[in-house]
């Protein structure tokens, strides 16, 4: 994502590019209160064998973006525009059958809440096996054997008996492992993990993340990891996308974004995160204010009502004109401040924590 | 599963015990003396006492109840009527026939009515509800919703004669409702009861259409349904293999509750079509202050409901694995 730049070209096929490329994606929901602009002009790439961490506060459009990749939005209430390319296949214009064949096979998703996301009515083995049967045309027996193998692979003890259990007989951590087993049963090329560890305690969380890493190393899977936790990103991701109000605020490698964050919103996220090496009594600084309404987004930069520096960028600029992410590739952010200004502010912040 | 069943059956027996005791007690709260009915016009106090004694009514209430209870399992002897083999529910004060025999004679009528109507309600209600949910917002959905409102506002004693007039008297499509024993003539049993089934089920069916529809719509928004779709399951298999189970759980629960109402509806339906079922017995027993009959009908009706509820619970456990353990 940091190196490849790709020039937009309409059509159903294209030359070599990133493995997954989301271009100018926008997702709108029509609701009783009006149109919700959940995602608005979002672009990002993911390469094979790498992990993209998507961070951003609640409601920033992380889940909506990824449900759009899988085509899981209800078309009756949703308007989606832009392009999503998986290698040489455009997904937004793909037919229902194509998407059904793709889902669970090449692209798989792990959901946040493993209790409600597994069917309470079917055994774990059946839920894992049926994906395999659907996509690989396996027999019942083969599917069951595969399910046992997958449970073993994700580290569930006694997979041969566990395969016949129901989700309510599993602990939270085991359910999430089962979810992962289900997502990986067809060896997907792209795995989307929507806050896969939020519901779990810290030790289990670390185990699950290790598991994902191992699997990625073995199979070269591309992973999109959605999380609130910048610590998780620092440990597991290669690249980061910071989302704010349905748009990209900043993107770059983990090192770039976490070491030299450029967008004032990213600064806020970072300073709202507890650090292990900080003094116990050092106060946290959550981003002030509340996320903007997606029904009537503020004009100009969506972050300006919560930003401390709009006047630095020049009179009124932030209030009226929406910044695009720049540069086109590499470490980029959507903010009018100059690189020098940002550097100065950061240095001042680090020298005397407010 | 076995432990579950044993627990449910024991619980059911306790419930039946309580119901019978309460009925027994309530009956004596009525300021009317059944012994008087046997005594005739010129009733001397000695005769009345004798009759009371013969009926076993001169003993304390709990002793009488105990005799009644023992009679069910061991049979008993009445001075007035003679021997009554187990299961003995006593003799009718009004007709002097054995209560148990009278109920056994009429039970198949009411049972056929209730079971047939249940089948119509569940199959038809769930089917139309599913169709409506499958086509949410489309004409089929609207028709189903509208007709369910109409159906819910109908009454048995209005629809019954109306349909009988058109389908039986005018068009001659169906025979006049009556009870033909299933064991003798299954087809006749079916055709003669079809109209009562339809009439009894009309008001309920509408409700089940509506519930099924809304439950399905709700289930389709659940996380696990989304997971199924994320696995590449087709909309149809998501609908018919995943969502319906979740939708059926509340439906079955409500059906268990509705069974008692359904039995009440069966009694009205029996009256509407002059079918000689338990309902007729019950109405007559109330009119005649016929304690043994009333008690018998109550306890058999309650037992039927309790048994059907156990069936419902078993169904519930079959559908939802989470119930099986707890
Ligand atoms: N089906 C929908 N209809 C209307 N609005 C929706 C729908 N789905 C999501 N939204 C709205 O879109 C916005 C983005 O939601 P999304 O679920 O992507 O947030 P998120 O970044 O995943 O947040 P979280 O971290 O809490 O999961 C929210 O404001 C949400 O209310
Ligand atoms: Mg989310």
């Amino acid at each position: 994502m940091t190196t490849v730049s790709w020039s937009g070209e309409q059509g159903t096929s294209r030359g070599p590019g990133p493995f997954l490329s989301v271009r100018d994606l926008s997702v709108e929901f029509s609701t009783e209160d009006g149109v919700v602009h959940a995602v608005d002009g979002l672009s990002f790439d993911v390469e094979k064998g790498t992990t993209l961490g998507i961070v951003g506060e609640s409601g920033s459009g992380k889940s909506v973006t990824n449900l759009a990749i899988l085509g899981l939005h209800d078309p009756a209430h949703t308007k989606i525009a832009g392009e999503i390319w998986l290698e040489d296949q455009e997904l937004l214009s793909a037919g229902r059958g194509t998407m059904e064949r793709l889902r669970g096979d090449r692209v798989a998703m792990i959901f946040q809440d493993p209790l409600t996301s597994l069917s309470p009515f079917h055994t774990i083995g059946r839920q894992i096996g049926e994906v395999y049967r659907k996509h690989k045309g396996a027999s019942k027996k083969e599917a069951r054997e595969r399910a046992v193998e997958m449970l073993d692979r994700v580290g569930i003890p006694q997979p041969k008996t566990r395969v016949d259990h129901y989700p309510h007989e599993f602990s939270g951590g085991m359910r999430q492992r089962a979810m992962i087993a289900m997502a990986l049963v067809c060896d997907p090329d792209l795995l989307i993990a929507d806050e896969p560890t939020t519901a779990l305690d810290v030790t289990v969380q670390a185990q699950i993340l290790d598991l994902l890493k191992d699997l990625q190393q073995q199979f070269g899977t591309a992973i999109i990891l959605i999380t609130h936790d910048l610590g998780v990103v620092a440990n597991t991701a290669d690249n980061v996308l910071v989302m704010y109000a349905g748009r990209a605020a900043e993107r770059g490698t983990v090192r770039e974004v976490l070491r030299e964050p450029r967008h004032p919103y990213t600064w806020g996220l970072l300073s709202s995160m507890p650090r292990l090496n900080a003094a116990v009594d050092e106060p946290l600084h959550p981003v002030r204010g509340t996320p903007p309404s997606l029904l009537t987004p503020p004009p100009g930069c969506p972050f300006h009502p919560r930003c401390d520096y709009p006047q630095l960028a020049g009179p009124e600029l932030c209030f009226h004109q929406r910044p695009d992410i720049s540069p086109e590739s590499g470490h980029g952010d959507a903010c009018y401040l100059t690189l020098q200004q940002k550097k100065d502010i950061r240095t001042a912040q680090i020298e005397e924590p407010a | 599963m076995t432990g579950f069943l044993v627990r449910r059956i024991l619980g059911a027996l306790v419930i039946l015990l309580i119901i019978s005791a309460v009925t027994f007690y309530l009956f004596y709260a009525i300021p009317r003396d059944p012994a008087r009915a046997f005594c005739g016009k010129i009733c001397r106090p000695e005769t009345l006492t004798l009759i009371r004694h013969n009926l076993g009514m001169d003993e304390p209430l709990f002793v009488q109840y105990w005799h009644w209870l023992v009679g069910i399992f061991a049979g008993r002897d009445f001075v007035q009527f003679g021997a009554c083999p187990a299961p003995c529910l006593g003799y009718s004060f009004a007709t002097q026939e054995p209560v148990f025999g009278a109920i056994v004679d009429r039970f198949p009528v009411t049972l056929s009515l209730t079971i047939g109507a249940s089948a119509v309600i569940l199959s038809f209600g769930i089917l139309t509800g599913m169709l409506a949910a499958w086509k949410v917002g489309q004409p089929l959905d609207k028709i189903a919703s509208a007709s369910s409102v109409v159906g819910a506002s109908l009454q048995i004693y209005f629809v019954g004669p109306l349909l009988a007039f058109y389908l039986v008297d005018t068009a001659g499509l169906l025979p006049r409702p009556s009870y033909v024993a299933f064991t003798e003539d299954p087809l006749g049993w079916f055709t003669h009861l079809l109209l009562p089934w339809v009439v009894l089920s009309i008001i309920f069916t509408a409700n089940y259409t509506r519930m099924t529809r809304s439950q399905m719509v709700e289930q389709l928004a659940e996380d696990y349904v989304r997971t199924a779709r994320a696995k590449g399951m087709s909309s149809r298999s998501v609908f018919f293999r995943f969502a319906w189970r979740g939708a059926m759980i509340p439906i079955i629960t409500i059906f268990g509750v509705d069974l008692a109402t359904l039995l009440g509806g069966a009694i009205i339906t029996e009256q509407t079509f002059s079918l000689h079922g338990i309902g007729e017995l019950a109405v007559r027993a109330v009119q005649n202050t016929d304690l043994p009959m009333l008690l018998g009908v109550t306890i058999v009706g309650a037992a039927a409901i309790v048994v059907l509820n156990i069936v419902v619970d078993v169904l519930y456990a079959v559908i939802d694995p989470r119930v099986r353990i707890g």
Side-chain angles (χ1 to χ4, degrees):
Chain A
M1 123 173 208
T2 49
T3 49
V4 184
S5 74
W6 165 76
S7 56
E9 175 189 325
Q10 297 295 322
T12 48
S13 69
R14 56 171 198 156
F19 175 65
L20 174 82
S21 177
V22 173
R23 288 286 148 246
D24 218 8
L25 178 72
S26 84
V27 182
E28 292 176 356
F29 299 106
S30 42
T31 67
E32 283 170 15
D33 302 324
V35 178
V36 176
H37 305 269
V39 177
D40 190 359
L42 180 70
S43 301
F44 63 87
D45 300 332
V46 185
E47 291 295 354
K48 268 209 154 133
T50 68
T51 300
L52 170 70
I54 301 186
V55 292
E57 62 199 329
S58 194
S60 54
K62 306 182 295 290
S63 299
V64 168
T65 303
N66 288 288
L67 291 175
I69 297 175
L70 277 176
L72 287 180
H73 287 297
D74 174 8
H77 304 282
T78 324
K79 220 171 86 189
I80 306 183
E83 292 173 28
I84 298 174
W85 290 89
L86 186 73
E87 289 187 318
D88 53 3
Q89 168 124 52
E90 207 286 307
L91 302 186
L92 290 182
S93 58
R96 211 184 64 196
T98 312
M99 289 309 287
E100 276 172 11
R101 258 171 277 131
L102 200 90
R103 293 200 281 257
D105 188 19
R106 292 195 64 200
V107 184
M109 187 147 179
I110 302 170
F111 292 98
Q112 174 175 350
D113 187 343
L115 177 56
T116 58
S117 297
L118 288 167
S119 163
F121 309 120
H122 301 97
T123 62
I124 295 284
R126 174 147 173 219
Q127 295 187 56
I128 297 174
E130 76 190 340
V131 195
Y132 199 60
R133 288 182 66 194
K134 153 103 193 175
H135 295 296
K136 306 292 187 208
S139 70
K140 263 200 171 128
K141 193 161 155 281
E142 287 165 339
R144 195 189 139 87
E145 278 161 14
R146 175 71 174 174
V148 174
E149 182 193 332
M150 291 308 296
L151 288 180
D152 192 35
R153 198 199 280 177
V154 297
I156 287 182
Q158 289 131 19
K160 284 209 176 84
T161 41
R162 283 302 189 169
V163 77
D164 291 320
H165 285 192
Y166 288 91
H168 68 268
E169 300 168 86
F170 274 41
S171 72
M174 288 212 295
R175 277 182 210 137
Q176 194 57 293
R177 281 168 195 265
M179 268 288 259
I180 294 174
M182 196 165 86
L184 295 178
V185 69
C186 293
D187 296 325
D189 301 325
L190 173 65
L191 177 67
I192 301 172
D194 193 343
E195 308 195 31
T197 57
T198 317
L200 307 175
D201 67 57
V202 188
T203 25
V204 184
Q205 189 171 339
Q207 288 168 1
I208 299 273
L209 292 172
D210 282 346
L211 177 66
L212 287 180
K213 245 192 213 167
D214 285 352
L215 294 166
Q216 179 173 53
Q217 271 160 15
Q218 264 181 41
F219 298 96
T221 321
I223 298 182
I224 297 180
L225 180 70
I226 303 176
T227 175
H228 285 284
D229 189 342
L230 284 171
V232 168
V233 169
N235 287 327
T236 46
D238 302 293
N239 299 300
V240 189
L241 174 72
V242 180
M243 283 188 70
Y244 186 79
R247 291 176 63 78
E250 183 162 356
R251 69 155 139 68
T253 63
V254 167
R255 186 172 258 275
E256 287 165 346
V257 175
L258 297 188
R259 287 266 175 91
E260 302 148 40
R262 289 183 186 165
H263 197 285
Y265 175 62
T266 317
W267 300 342
L269 277 187
L270 283 169
S271 63
S272 65
M273 197 184 76
R275 279 174 306 156
L276 277 181
N277 58 357
V280 181
D281 56 352
E282 185 183 304
L284 297 176
H285 299 283
V287 188
R288 69 178 169 85
T290 50
S293 152
L294 298 173
L295 284 168
T296 49
C301 172
F303 188 62
H304 86 251
R306 303 168 73 183
C307 184
D308 289 326
Y309 317 101
Q311 69 295 336
L312 283 183
E316 307 280 285
L317 184 59
C318 295
F319 301 96
H320 297 303
Q321 207 168 319
R322 200 167 66 174
D324 281 320
I325 197 159
S326 71
E328 284 271 321
S329 60
H331 187 190
D333 67 322
C335 177
Y336 288 123
L337 297 179
T338 64
L339 278 179
Q340 191 56 48
Q341 282 172 320
K342 291 171 189 165
K343 207 175 251 171
D344 294 344
I345 297 172
R346 275 302 278 175
T347 326
Q349 269 186 351
I350 289 164
E351 273 166 11
E352 42 147 348
Chain B
M1 196 67 168
T2 324
F4 168 79
L5 265 181
V6 169
R7 268 201 312 277
R8 287 296 280 115
I9 289 171
L10 286 179
L13 288 178
V14 172
I15 290 175
L16 291 179
L17 209 61
I18 294 173
I19 291 177
S20 59
V22 168
T23 315
F24 213 94
Y25 176 78
L26 281 181
F27 188 80
Y28 279 89
I30 304 174
R32 251 174 83 180
D33 186 355
R36 284 215 89 89
F38 287 87
C39 193
K41 282 221 174 72
I42 317 150
C43 184
R44 287 183 303 144
E46 308 89 82
T47 325
L48 198 62
T49 316
L50 187 65
I51 292 174
R52 286 225 179 93
H53 177 71
N54 289 349
L55 289 174
M57 292 176 73
D58 54 350
E59 287 178 293
L61 203 52
F62 68 89
V63 176
Q64 291 185 41
Y65 177 63
W66 176 250
H67 286 322
W68 180 82
L69 212 55
V70 168
I72 296 180
F73 300 101
R76 64 193 279 204
D77 286 321
F78 286 92
V79 184
Q80 183 89 9
F81 308 106
C84 171
C88 171
L89 290 171
Y91 285 86
S92 160
F93 287 170
T95 59
Q96 328 246 323
E97 61 185 324
V99 169
F100 189 76
I103 291 177
V104 164
D105 281 348
R106 286 146 185 271
F107 194 64
V109 179
T110 310
L111 192 68
S112 301
L113 207 52
T114 312
I115 288 182
S118 300
V120 175
I121 292 168
L122 290 179
S123 56
F124 206 71
I126 291 174
L127 195 77
T128 49
M130 288 276 227
L131 279 176
W134 180 243
K135 300 273 174 200
V136 164
Q138 293 178 26
L140 190 67
D141 177 22
K142 300 213 166 104
I143 293 172
S145 301
S147 49
S148 77
V149 173
V150 175
S153 52
L154 295 175
Q155 297 292 336
I156 292 171
Y157 43 80
F158 168 69
V159 188
L162 196 73
L163 283 185
F165 177 75
Y166 283 111
L167 295 179
V168 179
D169 301 335
T170 314
L173 286 174
L174 288 174
R176 179 147 295 283
S178 64
Y179 182 73
V180 178
F182 179 77
T183 42
E184 277 163 28
D185 176 8
L187 188 68
W189 173 80
F190 183 83
T191 51
H192 283 82
L193 283 176
L194 191 57
L195 184 57
W197 285 341
V198 169
V199 169
L200 176 53
S201 57
I202 274 183
I203 36 174
F204 290 95
T205 304
N207 225 344
Y208 283 79
T209 302
R210 218 166 13 178
M211 278 193 302
T212 306
R213 178 191 181 279
S214 68
Q215 284 301 328
M216 281 306 286
V217 169
E218 216 167 273
Q219 286 297 317
L220 287 173
E222 288 285 332
D223 283 354
Y224 74 90
V225 170
R226 187 183 59 184
T227 309
R229 293 216 298 133
K231 293 197 290 193
M233 299 290 134
S234 67
S235 325
R236 188 178 313 150
S237 78
V238 164
F239 194 88
F240 291 105
R241 293 215 0 246
F242 285 81
W244 76 269
R245 279 198 188 224
M248 281 315 107
I249 288 169
I251 304 271
I252 287 176
T253 311
I254 294 186
F255 184 69
V257 176
D258 271 353
L259 273 172
T261 325
L262 190 64
L263 212 57
I267 291 176
I268 301 179
T269 311
E270 280 173 13
Q271 305 250 299
T272 307
F273 293 109
S274 317
L275 297 170
H276 306 297
I278 300 278
E280 193 188 37
L281 273 188
V283 170
R284 224 187 308 134
V286 171
Q287 283 165 353
N288 295 336
T289 332
D290 189 351
L291 171 66
M293 188 60 86
L294 200 57
L295 210 52
V297 167
T298 307
I299 209 68
V300 168
I305 289 176
V306 164
V307 167
L308 288 174
N309 264 301
I310 292 179
V311 172
V312 163
D313 279 352
V314 169
L315 261 182
Y316 203 75
V318 166
I319 289 189
D320 190 345
R322 287 167 297 185
V323 179
R324 281 172 222 164
I325 297 182

